Amino acid sequence: QVQLVESGGGLVQAGESLRLSCEASGSTFGVTAMGWFRQAPGKQRELVAIQSNNGQTTVGESAKGRFAISRDIAKNTVYLQMNGLKVGDSAVYYCYMQRSLSHGLQSTWGQGTQVTVDS
């Protein structure tokens, strides 16, 4: 099994920055991508950013120009640098991992870390 542990969330003022980290442990073979999603109350979970092992990155519309994803593949760690935070960025941020296994693709989620942006 794989465990994902997020850290770095908290309460900040609008315009400030935060850096989220997510470290994977356990059976991490077959990893093909890691990234971040978020979910605000009453809304669907949405993509923030995801990066594959070959460096291909997809960034959600709300994050473009403000957030940056990076990975340390050797450490199975993914980071999310969030700049210029807005009240609308308040949500629970979930770490995500995709693995390619013999029976197909497997997704794993972290427990989530709360980000609250105050005006």
Side-chain angles (χ1 to χ4, degrees), residues 46-89:
E46 65 174 359
L47 171 70
V48 178
I50 190 167
Q51 189 174 83
S52 65
N53 282 10
N54 64 10
Q56 182 177 0
T57 299
T58 302
V59 180
E61 285 299 320
S62 61
K64 287 182 179 179
R66 299 185 300 125
F67 296 1
I69 187 173
S70 61
R71 290 180 61 194
D72 186 330
I73 293 177
K75 295 182 178 180
N76 287 307
T77 301
V78 61
Y79 306 95
L80 184 68
Q81 179 65 42
M82 304 186 291
N83 300 323
L85 283 161
K86 305 175 182 179
V87 173
D89 294 319

